[in-house]
Amino acid sequence: LILIYVENHQQHTRVRISSVKNYGNAVQRNKITRRIRSIVHMINIKSGKDIVIMARKKSKNTKYSLIHNELLNLVSISGLSK
């Protein structure tokens, strides 16, 4: 996963999830997007940020728990968690 963020100077945080076109078919891209979205809803993220999370091709065969741990690690390293 790749996490990119920037301040948006607003009261809320906006999150967008992207998967590369050569990731697989639409069903596989939607599956990883749903998984990441469900993880993001569980994380307390600081307000006032625009965040883009990009799923790489390797994450297609990755278990949910590994994606969860990776996203938590990225959020904590970047200082986005409350």
Side-chain angles (χ1 to χ4, degrees), residues 5 18 20 40-41 43 49 55-56 61-62 67 74 78 80:
Y5 69 96
S18 172
V20 293
V40 168
H41 285 300
I43 300 173
K49 308 287 185 201
R56 304 296 290 176
N61 299 324
T62 307
I67 295 171
L74 286 172
S78 61
L80 294 173

Side-chain angles (χ1 to χ4, degrees), residues 2 7 16 25 27 41 46 63 67 78:
I2 297 173
E7 302 245 353
R16 296 294 174 245
N25 60 19
V27 174
H41 285 300
K46 292 180 182 177
K63 293 182 180 181
I67 295 171
S78 61

Side-chain angles (χ1 to χ4, degrees), residues 36-51:
I36 294 172
R37 188 179 302 121
S38 70
I39 295 168
V40 168
H41 285 300
M42 290 186 276
I43 300 173
N44 289 328
I45 298 177
K46 292 180 182 177
S47 59
K49 308 287 185 201
D50 286 337
I51 301 171

